[in-house]
């Protein structure tokens, strides 16, 4: 039975303490979802597998990328109960027999000192976890590699833009100061 916490978050069961066990269970749960509640959904891209990549630990979270025929998302599993309390209707008991939702209610958490928005989810075999969707329209992808290549391109573009912004910021600040002081001297 997964551990319960004061804020009603149900953490991963102890048998999922090893990262490999968590990944295997996440894939198995989503395969069951595909073969059950989502099995007849016409928007699925069945050319895509269910697979996980890039598991890492960030503060009190285990974070992984999950690819399914219906989404590419970042999943966050807490090591201990996060700060936000659960919304009404989202205790483990209330969600035990509830229908699967791709995106539950939105909640905010801090990660690396930055506020993050994510969607609460729960599965009895995984406990409570957060989902940050990256792509929910999977129709145009031919295979898993094309999905991850697009995601890698987004990351490369973001990193390039951040680098350009760092390069441009000092100059922009200096230009702004000069214009400000010129205005004061001419006025």
């Amino acid at each position: 039975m997964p551990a319960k916490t004061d804020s009603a978050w149900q953490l991963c069961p102890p048998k999922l303490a090893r990262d490999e066990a968590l990944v295997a269970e996440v894939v198995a749960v989503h395969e069951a979802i595909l073969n059950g509640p989502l099995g007849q959904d016409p928007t699925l891209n069945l050319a895509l597998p269910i697979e996980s990549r890039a598991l890492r630990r960030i503060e009190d979270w285990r974070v992984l990328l999950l690819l399914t025929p219906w989404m590419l998302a970042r999943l966050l599993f807490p090591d201990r109960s996060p700060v936000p309390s659960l919304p009404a209707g989202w205790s483990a008991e209330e969600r035990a027999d509830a229908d699967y939702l791709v995106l539950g209610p939105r909640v905010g958490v801090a990660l690396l000192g930055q506020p993050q928005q994510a969607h609460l989810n729960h599965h009895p075999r995984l406990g409570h976890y957060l989902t940050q969707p990256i792509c929910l329209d999977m129709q145009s992808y031919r295979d898993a590699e094309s999905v991850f290549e697009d995601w890698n391109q987004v990351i490369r573009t973001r990193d390039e833009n951040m680098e350009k912004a760092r390069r441009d910021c000092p100059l922009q600040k200096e230009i702004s100061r000069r214009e400000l002081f010129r205005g004061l001297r001419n006025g």
Side-chain angles (χ1 to χ4, degrees):
M1 186 74 164
K4 288 181 72 171
T5 62
D6 293 338
S7 68
W9 278 73
Q10 181 185 32
L11 301 178
C12 285
K15 70 178 186 174
L16 301 183
R18 289 185 313 103
D19 292 343
E20 301 80 21
L22 175 63
V23 167
E25 192 69 4
V26 165
V27 170
V29 162
H30 285 82
E31 286 173 349
I33 291 168
L34 175 61
N35 294 323
L38 292 185
Q40 301 302 315
D41 188 328
T43 64
L44 295 176
N45 180 348
L46 297 176
L48 300 177
I50 295 175
E51 67 178 65
S52 172
R53 293 191 184 183
L55 174 73
R56 62 195 178 283
R57 290 189 174 272
I58 302 174
E59 295 174 347
D60 292 331
W61 298 87
R62 287 188 286 174
V63 180
L64 58 88
L65 288 178
L66 178 68
L67 173 64
T68 70
W70 61 93
M71 72 176 174
L72 174 64
R74 187 177 295 117
L75 302 186
L76 297 92
F77 294 88
D79 288 333
R80 61 186 175 93
S81 183
V83 171
S85 294
L86 296 173
W90 278 83
S91 71
E93 294 79 18
E94 292 167 309
R95 296 301 302 165
D97 295 320
D99 291 338
Y100 169 73
L101 292 175
V102 175
L103 300 176
R106 193 168 41 166
V107 297
V109 295
L111 192 62
L112 297 174
Q114 298 292 316
Q116 298 285 319
Q117 294 292 313
H119 296 271
L120 181 63
N121 252 310
H122 178 270
H123 190 279
R125 291 166 43 191
L126 300 172
H128 286 98
Y129 61 96
L130 300 178
T131 302
Q132 290 181 316
I134 296 168
C135 182
L136 295 173
D137 180 5
M138 307 306 291
Q139 290 295 319
S140 64
Y141 294 103
R142 69 184 178 284
D143 56 26
E145 291 311 311
S146 65
V147 174
F148 287 109
E149 181 52 39
D150 274 5
W151 176 236
N152 286 333
Q153 183 58 44
V154 168
I155 292 171
R156 281 192 295 271
T157 301
R158 181 204 60 198
D159 290 347
E160 289 169 5
N161 288 337
M162 287 174 61
E163 183 60 32
K164 287 177 188 175
R166 277 194 286 272
R167 261 196 317 264
D168 294 343
C169 275
L171 177 60
Q172 196 63 30
K173 287 179 184 173
E174 184 59 30
I175 290 171
S176 297
R177 278 194 206 109
R178 287 182 182 173
E179 290 172 352
L180 174 65
F181 288 125
R182 185 182 65 209
L184 291 174
R185 284 183 287 207
N186 292 341

mmCIF file of all heavy atoms in Angstrom, residues 77-120:
data_model
loop_
_atom_site.group_PDB
_atom_site.id
_atom_site.type_symbol
_atom_site.label_atom_id
_atom_site.label_comp_id
_atom_site.label_asym_id
_atom_site.label_seq_id
_atom_site.Cartn_x
_atom_site.Cartn_y
_atom_site.Cartn_z
ATOM 1 N N PHE A 77 7.436 12.965 -10.208
ATOM 2 C CA PHE A 77 7.042 12.133 -9.083
ATOM 3 C C PHE A 77 7.748 12.633 -7.831
ATOM 4 O O PHE A 77 8.978 12.634 -7.778
ATOM 5 C CB PHE A 77 7.412 10.666 -9.346
ATOM 6 C CG PHE A 77 6.643 10.070 -10.481
ATOM 7 C CD1 PHE A 77 7.100 10.179 -11.784
ATOM 8 C CD2 PHE A 77 5.446 9.413 -10.240
ATOM 9 C CE1 PHE A 77 6.384 9.640 -12.833
ATOM 10 C CE2 PHE A 77 4.721 8.873 -11.292
ATOM 11 C CZ PHE A 77 5.185 8.988 -12.587
ATOM 12 N N PRO A 78 6.995 13.052 -6.812
ATOM 13 C CA PRO A 78 7.630 13.596 -5.612
ATOM 14 C C PRO A 78 8.221 12.497 -4.728
ATOM 15 O O PRO A 78 7.655 11.412 -4.607
ATOM 16 C CB PRO A 78 6.477 14.302 -4.894
ATOM 17 C CG PRO A 78 5.255 13.553 -5.317
ATOM 18 C CD PRO A 78 5.534 13.098 -6.734
ATOM 19 N N ASP A 79 9.371 12.797 -4.125
ATOM 20 C CA ASP A 79 9.965 11.904 -3.131
ATOM 21 C C ASP A 79 9.297 12.078 -1.774
ATOM 22 O O ASP A 79 9.317 11.187 -0.950
ATOM 23 C CB ASP A 79 11.462 12.182 -2.974
ATOM 24 C CG ASP A 79 12.260 11.716 -4.179
ATOM 25 O OD1 ASP A 79 11.822 10.769 -4.861
ATOM 26 O OD2 ASP A 79 13.333 12.300 -4.428
ATOM 27 N N ARG A 80 8.767 13.273 -1.549
ATOM 28 C CA ARG A 80 8.023 13.551 -0.315
ATOM 29 C C ARG A 80 6.866 14.463 -0.683
ATOM 30 O O ARG A 80 6.822 15.010 -1.779
ATOM 31 C CB ARG A 80 8.915 14.156 0.760
ATOM 32 C CG ARG A 80 9.545 15.481 0.400
ATOM 33 C CD ARG A 80 10.530 15.933 1.494
ATOM 34 N NE ARG A 80 11.219 17.125 1.101
ATOM 35 C CZ ARG A 80 10.831 18.352 1.403
ATOM 36 N NH1 ARG A 80 9.752 18.538 2.129
ATOM 37 N NH2 ARG A 80 11.512 19.393 0.990
ATOM 38 N N SER A 81 5.952 14.632 0.238
ATOM 39 C CA SER A 81 4.734 15.383 -0.059
ATOM 40 C C SER A 81 5.054 16.822 -0.467
ATOM 41 O O SER A 81 5.705 17.546 0.278
ATOM 42 C CB SER A 81 3.823 15.377 1.165
ATOM 43 O OG SER A 81 2.632 16.041 0.867
ATOM 44 N N PRO A 82 4.605 17.245 -1.642
ATOM 45 C CA PRO A 82 4.817 18.635 -2.068
ATOM 46 C C PRO A 82 3.972 19.604 -1.232
ATOM 47 O O PRO A 82 3.037 19.202 -0.547
ATOM 48 C CB PRO A 82 4.355 18.645 -3.522
ATOM 49 C CG PRO A 82 4.257 17.226 -3.926
ATOM 50 C CD PRO A 82 3.999 16.442 -2.683
ATOM 51 N N VAL A 83 4.282 20.875 -1.357
ATOM 52 C CA VAL A 83 3.610 21.918 -0.580
ATOM 53 C C VAL A 83 2.134 22.055 -0.926
ATOM 54 O O VAL A 83 1.312 22.137 -0.023
ATOM 55 C CB VAL A 83 4.343 23.265 -0.731
ATOM 56 C CG1 VAL A 83 3.547 24.391 -0.115
ATOM 57 C CG2 VAL A 83 5.721 23.164 -0.117
ATOM 58 N N PRO A 84 1.723 22.103 -2.198
ATOM 59 C CA PRO A 84 0.295 22.366 -2.432
ATOM 60 C C PRO A 84 -0.574 21.229 -1.915
ATOM 61 O O PRO A 84 -0.244 20.054 -2.065
ATOM 62 C CB PRO A 84 0.190 22.492 -3.947
ATOM 63 C CG PRO A 84 1.363 21.766 -4.485
ATOM 64 C CD PRO A 84 2.451 21.894 -3.446
ATOM 65 N N SER A 85 -1.663 21.602 -1.284
ATOM 66 C CA SER A 85 -2.642 20.596 -0.882
ATOM 67 C C SER A 85 -3.389 20.123 -2.116
ATOM 68 O O SER A 85 -3.451 20.823 -3.132
ATOM 69 C CB SER A 85 -3.633 21.200 0.108
ATOM 70 O OG SER A 85 -2.964 21.537 1.296
ATOM 71 N N LEU A 86 -3.959 18.960 -2.016
ATOM 72 C CA LEU A 86 -4.705 18.420 -3.148
ATOM 73 C C LEU A 86 -6.044 19.127 -3.293
ATOM 74 O O LEU A 86 -6.702 19.425 -2.299
ATOM 75 C CB LEU A 86 -4.942 16.928 -2.947
ATOM 76 C CG LEU A 86 -3.689 16.064 -2.913
ATOM 77 C CD1 LEU A 86 -4.054 14.642 -2.538
ATOM 78 C CD2 LEU A 86 -2.972 16.102 -4.243
ATOM 79 N N PRO A 87 -6.479 19.381 -4.525
ATOM 80 C CA PRO A 87 -7.807 19.958 -4.741
ATOM 81 C C PRO A 87 -8.894 18.964 -4.321
ATOM 82 O O PRO A 87 -8.662 17.757 -4.278
ATOM 83 C CB PRO A 87 -7.865 20.216 -6.240
ATOM 84 C CG PRO A 87 -6.547 19.883 -6.806
ATOM 85 C CD PRO A 87 -5.740 19.190 -5.757
ATOM 86 N N ALA A 88 -10.055 19.488 -4.063
ATOM 87 C CA ALA A 88 -11.198 18.638 -3.706
ATOM 88 C C ALA A 88 -11.414 17.586 -4.790
ATOM 89 O O ALA A 88 -11.322 17.882 -5.983
ATOM 90 C CB ALA A 88 -12.453 19.489 -3.534
ATOM 91 N N GLY A 89 -11.696 16.380 -4.370
ATOM 92 C CA GLY A 89 -11.962 15.294 -5.301
ATOM 93 C C GLY A 89 -10.722 14.568 -5.782
ATOM 94 O O GLY A 89 -10.815 13.680 -6.632
ATOM 95 N N TRP A 90 -9.547 14.916 -5.258
ATOM 96 C CA TRP A 90 -8.307 14.338 -5.765
ATOM 97 C C TRP A 90 -7.527 13.540 -4.726
ATOM 98 O O TRP A 90 -6.346 13.253 -4.916
ATOM 99 C CB TRP A 90 -7.439 15.422 -6.410
ATOM 100 C CG TRP A 90 -7.924 15.640 -7.807
ATOM 101 C CD1 TRP A 90 -8.956 16.421 -8.200
ATOM 102 C CD2 TRP A 90 -7.455 14.976 -8.972
ATOM 103 N NE1 TRP A 90 -9.154 16.309 -9.549
ATOM 104 C CE2 TRP A 90 -8.237 15.432 -10.050
ATOM 105 C CE3 TRP A 90 -6.448 14.061 -9.228
ATOM 106 C CZ2 TRP A 90 -8.043 14.990 -11.349
ATOM 107 C CZ3 TRP A 90 -6.252 13.614 -10.514
ATOM 108 C CH2 TRP A 90 -7.049 14.085 -11.561
ATOM 109 N N SER A 91 -8.165 13.148 -3.652
ATOM 110 C CA SER A 91 -7.475 12.250 -2.713
ATOM 111 C C SER A 91 -7.318 10.894 -3.398
ATOM 112 O O SER A 91 -8.014 10.579 -4.381
ATOM 113 C CB SER A 91 -8.270 12.099 -1.420
ATOM 114 O OG SER A 91 -9.440 11.334 -1.654
ATOM 115 N N ALA A 92 -6.421 10.074 -2.891
ATOM 116 C CA ALA A 92 -6.204 8.743 -3.466
ATOM 117 C C ALA A 92 -7.496 7.933 -3.441
ATOM 118 O O ALA A 92 -7.813 7.237 -4.415
ATOM 119 C CB ALA A 92 -5.102 8.023 -2.701
ATOM 120 N N GLU A 93 -8.246 8.042 -2.362
ATOM 121 C CA GLU A 93 -9.501 7.296 -2.257
ATOM 122 C C GLU A 93 -10.511 7.753 -3.307
ATOM 123 O O GLU A 93 -11.208 6.940 -3.914
ATOM 124 C CB GLU A 93 -10.105 7.454 -0.852
ATOM 125 C CG GLU A 93 -9.279 6.814 0.247
ATOM 126 C CD GLU A 93 -8.074 7.659 0.688
ATOM 127 O OE1 GLU A 93 -8.031 8.894 0.409
ATOM 128 O OE2 GLU A 93 -7.159 7.090 1.287
ATOM 129 N N GLU A 94 -10.593 9.072 -3.536
ATOM 130 C CA GLU A 94 -11.553 9.605 -4.504
ATOM 131 C C GLU A 94 -11.163 9.273 -5.943
ATOM 132 O O GLU A 94 -12.021 9.179 -6.822
ATOM 133 C CB GLU A 94 -11.690 11.117 -4.333
ATOM 134 C CG GLU A 94 -12.362 11.496 -3.021
ATOM 135 C CD GLU A 94 -12.214 12.975 -2.704
ATOM 136 O OE1 GLU A 94 -11.075 13.491 -2.741
ATOM 137 O OE2 GLU A 94 -13.241 13.600 -2.418
ATOM 138 N N ARG A 95 -9.880 9.108 -6.206
ATOM 139 C CA ARG A 95 -9.421 8.833 -7.570
ATOM 140 C C ARG A 95 -9.251 7.346 -7.854
ATOM 141 O O ARG A 95 -8.994 6.964 -8.997
ATOM 142 C CB ARG A 95 -8.085 9.551 -7.830
ATOM 143 C CG ARG A 95 -8.146 11.062 -7.786
ATOM 144 C CD ARG A 95 -9.087 11.677 -8.767
ATOM 145 N NE ARG A 95 -8.790 11.315 -10.142
ATOM 146 C CZ ARG A 95 -9.630 11.483 -11.150
ATOM 147 N NH1 ARG A 95 -10.807 12.010 -10.951
ATOM 148 N NH2 ARG A 95 -9.299 11.116 -12.369
ATOM 149 N N ALA A 96 -9.377 6.505 -6.841
ATOM 150 C CA ALA A 96 -9.101 5.075 -6.999
ATOM 151 C C ALA A 96 -9.890 4.446 -8.147
ATOM 152 O O ALA A 96 -9.347 3.656 -8.914
ATOM 153 C CB ALA A 96 -9.368 4.337 -5.695
ATOM 154 N N ASP A 97 -11.151 4.773 -8.294
ATOM 155 C CA ASP A 97 -11.981 4.192 -9.348
ATOM 156 C C ASP A 97 -12.415 5.215 -10.395
ATOM 157 O O ASP A 97 -13.303 4.939 -11.202
ATOM 158 C CB ASP A 97 -13.223 3.536 -8.723
ATOM 159 C CG ASP A 97 -12.851 2.351 -7.848
ATOM 160 O OD1 ASP A 97 -11.940 1.591 -8.243
ATOM 161 O OD2 ASP A 97 -13.443 2.197 -6.762
ATOM 162 N N ALA A 98 -11.798 6.375 -10.375
ATOM 163 C CA ALA A 98 -12.175 7.448 -11.310
ATOM 164 C C ALA A 98 -11.622 7.165 -12.704
ATOM 165 O O ALA A 98 -10.637 6.444 -12.869
ATOM 166 C CB ALA A 98 -11.649 8.785 -10.798
ATOM 167 N N ASP A 99 -12.267 7.738 -13.702
ATOM 168 C CA ASP A 99 -11.798 7.615 -15.075
ATOM 169 C C ASP A 99 -10.450 8.304 -15.239
ATOM 170 O O ASP A 99 -10.157 9.307 -14.578
ATOM 171 C CB ASP A 99 -12.801 8.249 -16.047
ATOM 172 C CG ASP A 99 -14.094 7.460 -16.137
ATOM 173 O OD1 ASP A 99 -14.091 6.258 -15.813
ATOM 174 O OD2 ASP A 99 -15.113 8.065 -16.526
ATOM 175 N N TYR A 100 -9.649 7.799 -16.171
ATOM 176 C CA TYR A 100 -8.357 8.391 -16.486
ATOM 177 C C TYR A 100 -8.567 9.768 -17.113
ATOM 178 O O TYR A 100 -9.424 9.949 -17.972
ATOM 179 C CB TYR A 100 -7.594 7.496 -17.466
ATOM 180 C CG TYR A 100 -6.363 8.144 -18.047
ATOM 181 C CD1 TYR A 100 -5.223 8.316 -17.272
ATOM 182 C CD2 TYR A 100 -6.341 8.594 -19.359
ATOM 183 C CE1 TYR A 100 -4.091 8.911 -17.793
ATOM 184 C CE2 TYR A 100 -5.215 9.183 -19.896
ATOM 185 C CZ TYR A 100 -4.084 9.344 -19.108
ATOM 186 O OH TYR A 100 -2.964 9.945 -19.630
ATOM 187 N N LEU A 101 -7.786 10.724 -16.664
ATOM 188 C CA LEU A 101 -7.746 12.052 -17.272
ATOM 189 C C LEU A 101 -6.334 12.304 -17.767
ATOM 190 O O LEU A 101 -5.371 12.092 -17.022
ATOM 191 C CB LEU A 101 -8.112 13.138 -16.257
ATOM 192 C CG LEU A 101 -9.541 13.162 -15.750
ATOM 193 C CD1 LEU A 101 -9.693 14.225 -14.662
ATOM 194 C CD2 LEU A 101 -10.499 13.446 -16.891
ATOM 195 N N VAL A 102 -6.203 12.766 -19.004
ATOM 196 C CA VAL A 102 -4.876 13.100 -19.512
ATOM 197 C C VAL A 102 -4.290 14.224 -18.668
ATOM 198 O O VAL A 102 -3.137 14.153 -18.242
ATOM 199 C CB VAL A 102 -4.933 13.496 -21.000
ATOM 200 C CG1 VAL A 102 -3.572 13.957 -21.485
ATOM 201 C CG2 VAL A 102 -5.432 12.324 -21.843
ATOM 202 N N LEU A 103 -5.093 15.249 -18.406
ATOM 203 C CA LEU A 103 -4.648 16.394 -17.616
ATOM 204 C C LEU A 103 -5.641 16.660 -16.496
ATOM 205 O O LEU A 103 -6.783 17.020 -16.750
ATOM 206 C CB LEU A 103 -4.525 17.644 -18.493
ATOM 207 C CG LEU A 103 -3.556 17.558 -19.663
ATOM 208 C CD1 LEU A 103 -3.615 18.819 -20.500
ATOM 209 C CD2 LEU A 103 -2.136 17.293 -19.189
ATOM 210 N N GLY A 104 -5.193 16.485 -15.277
ATOM 211 C CA GLY A 104 -6.017 16.804 -14.120
ATOM 212 C C GLY A 104 -5.959 18.291 -13.833
ATOM 213 O O GLY A 104 -5.508 19.089 -14.668
ATOM 214 N N PRO A 105 -6.372 18.692 -12.645
ATOM 215 C CA PRO A 105 -6.367 20.119 -12.307
ATOM 216 C C PRO A 105 -4.941 20.686 -12.267
ATOM 217 O O PRO A 105 -3.990 19.982 -11.944
ATOM 218 C CB PRO A 105 -7.023 20.161 -10.926
ATOM 219 C CG PRO A 105 -6.904 18.782 -10.386
ATOM 220 C CD PRO A 105 -6.863 17.861 -11.555
ATOM 221 N N ARG A 106 -4.835 21.958 -12.592
ATOM 222 C CA ARG A 106 -3.531 22.619 -12.606
ATOM 223 C C ARG A 106 -3.133 22.992 -11.188
ATOM 224 O O ARG A 106 -3.947 23.491 -10.417
ATOM 225 C CB ARG A 106 -3.568 23.849 -13.499
ATOM 226 C CG ARG A 106 -2.196 24.385 -13.796
ATOM 227 C CD ARG A 106 -2.186 25.385 -14.876
ATOM 228 N NE ARG A 106 -3.322 26.290 -14.758
ATOM 229 C CZ ARG A 106 -3.430 27.424 -15.411
ATOM 230 N NH1 ARG A 106 -2.504 27.778 -16.250
ATOM 231 N NH2 ARG A 106 -4.474 28.188 -15.255
ATOM 232 N N VAL A 107 -1.879 22.737 -10.861
ATOM 233 C CA VAL A 107 -1.327 23.109 -9.559
ATOM 234 C C VAL A 107 0.022 23.772 -9.775
ATOM 235 O O VAL A 107 0.667 23.577 -10.797
ATOM 236 C CB VAL A 107 -1.176 21.886 -8.611
ATOM 237 C CG1 VAL A 107 -2.522 21.258 -8.293
ATOM 238 C CG2 VAL A 107 -0.233 20.853 -9.191
ATOM 239 N N GLY A 108 0.433 24.541 -8.807
ATOM 240 C CA GLY A 108 1.724 25.205 -8.861
ATOM 241 C C GLY A 108 2.671 24.617 -7.829
ATOM 242 O O GLY A 108 2.266 24.316 -6.709
ATOM 243 N N VAL A 109 3.920 24.440 -8.233
ATOM 244 C CA VAL A 109 4.977 23.989 -7.334
ATOM 245 C C VAL A 109 6.242 24.771 -7.669
ATOM 246 O O VAL A 109 6.338 25.371 -8.736
ATOM 247 C CB VAL A 109 5.257 22.469 -7.456
ATOM 248 C CG1 VAL A 109 4.065 21.655 -7.007
ATOM 249 C CG2 VAL A 109 5.683 22.097 -8.850
ATOM 250 N N ALA A 110 7.195 24.757 -6.760
ATOM 251 C CA ALA A 110 8.493 25.378 -7.016
ATOM 252 C C ALA A 110 9.491 24.286 -7.360
ATOM 253 O O ALA A 110 9.524 23.235 -6.725
ATOM 254 C CB ALA A 110 8.953 26.160 -5.805
ATOM 255 N N LEU A 111 10.286 24.535 -8.381
ATOM 256 C CA LEU A 111 11.319 23.605 -8.796
ATOM 257 C C LEU A 111 12.534 24.426 -9.187
ATOM 258 O O LEU A 111 12.422 25.335 -10.021
ATOM 259 C CB LEU A 111 10.823 22.761 -9.968
ATOM 260 C CG LEU A 111 11.640 21.546 -10.358
ATOM 261 C CD1 LEU A 111 11.692 20.535 -9.216
ATOM 262 C CD2 LEU A 111 11.046 20.891 -11.582
ATOM 263 N N LEU A 112 13.660 24.141 -8.550
ATOM 264 C CA LEU A 112 14.885 24.918 -8.763
ATOM 265 C C LEU A 112 14.644 26.403 -8.509
ATOM 266 O O LEU A 112 15.149 27.266 -9.225
ATOM 267 C CB LEU A 112 15.447 24.683 -10.164
ATOM 268 C CG LEU A 112 15.889 23.264 -10.477
ATOM 269 C CD1 LEU A 112 16.295 23.133 -11.942
ATOM 270 C CD2 LEU A 112 17.033 22.825 -9.570
ATOM 271 N N GLY A 113 13.837 26.693 -7.513
ATOM 272 C CA GLY A 113 13.560 28.072 -7.145
ATOM 273 C C GLY A 113 12.637 28.813 -8.084
ATOM 274 O O GLY A 113 12.433 30.012 -7.943
ATOM 275 N N GLN A 114 12.079 28.131 -9.053
ATOM 276 C CA GLN A 114 11.203 28.764 -10.037
ATOM 277 C C GLN A 114 9.795 28.193 -9.905
ATOM 278 O O GLN A 114 9.625 26.987 -9.738
ATOM 279 C CB GLN A 114 11.702 28.491 -11.460
ATOM 280 C CG GLN A 114 13.067 29.041 -11.754
ATOM 281 C CD GLN A 114 13.067 30.555 -11.779
ATOM 282 O OE1 GLN A 114 12.181 31.168 -12.358
ATOM 283 N NE2 GLN A 114 14.047 31.158 -11.137
ATOM 284 N N PRO A 115 8.773 29.044 -10.021
ATOM 285 C CA PRO A 115 7.402 28.514 -9.995
ATOM 286 C C PRO A 115 7.130 27.713 -11.268
ATOM 287 O O PRO A 115 7.539 28.102 -12.357
ATOM 288 C CB PRO A 115 6.535 29.769 -9.929
ATOM 289 C CG PRO A 115 7.394 30.877 -10.432
ATOM 290 C CD PRO A 115 8.824 30.492 -10.157
ATOM 291 N N GLN A 116 6.488 26.591 -11.102
ATOM 292 C CA GLN A 116 6.130 25.712 -12.218
ATOM 293 C C GLN A 116 4.639 25.440 -12.172
ATOM 294 O O GLN A 116 4.060 25.315 -11.100
ATOM 295 C CB GLN A 116 6.865 24.373 -12.098
ATOM 296 C CG GLN A 116 8.357 24.463 -12.143
ATOM 297 C CD GLN A 116 8.858 24.711 -13.543
ATOM 298 O OE1 GLN A 116 8.355 24.140 -14.512
ATOM 299 N NE2 GLN A 116 9.836 25.579 -13.672
ATOM 300 N N GLN A 117 4.026 25.326 -13.319
ATOM 301 C CA GLN A 117 2.632 24.904 -13.434
ATOM 302 C C GLN A 117 2.629 23.489 -14.000
ATOM 303 O O GLN A 117 3.392 23.177 -14.913
ATOM 304 C CB GLN A 117 1.847 25.833 -14.356
ATOM 305 C CG GLN A 117 1.692 27.233 -13.821
ATOM 306 C CD GLN A 117 0.799 27.266 -12.598
ATOM 307 O OE1 GLN A 117 -0.278 26.677 -12.574
ATOM 308 N NE2 GLN A 117 1.253 27.948 -11.561
ATOM 309 N N ALA A 118 1.782 22.656 -13.446
ATOM 310 C CA ALA A 118 1.657 21.286 -13.927
ATOM 311 C C ALA A 118 0.244 20.812 -13.624
ATOM 312 O O ALA A 118 -0.516 21.489 -12.926
ATOM 313 C CB ALA A 118 2.697 20.391 -13.256
ATOM 314 N N HIS A 119 -0.092 19.662 -14.147
ATOM 315 C CA HIS A 119 -1.414 19.088 -13.935
ATOM 316 C C HIS A 119 -1.293 17.877 -13.011
ATOM 317 O O HIS A 119 -0.473 16.994 -13.249
ATOM 318 C CB HIS A 119 -2.038 18.677 -15.272
ATOM 319 C CG HIS A 119 -2.282 19.846 -16.158
ATOM 320 N ND1 HIS A 119 -3.467 20.555 -16.128
ATOM 321 C CD2 HIS A 119 -1.493 20.457 -17.069
ATOM 322 C CE1 HIS A 119 -3.396 21.544 -16.997
ATOM 323 N NE2 HIS A 119 -2.210 21.505 -17.586
ATOM 324 N N LEU A 120 -2.123 17.881 -11.988
ATOM 325 C CA LEU A 120 -2.131 16.790 -11.033
ATOM 326 C C LEU A 120 -2.710 15.544 -11.685
ATOM 327 O O LEU A 120 -3.674 15.617 -12.457
ATOM 328 C CB LEU A 120 -2.982 17.183 -9.826
ATOM 329 C CG LEU A 120 -3.078 16.164 -8.705
ATOM 330 C CD1 LEU A 120 -1.717 15.895 -8.080
ATOM 331 C CD2 LEU A 120 -4.062 16.667 -7.650
#
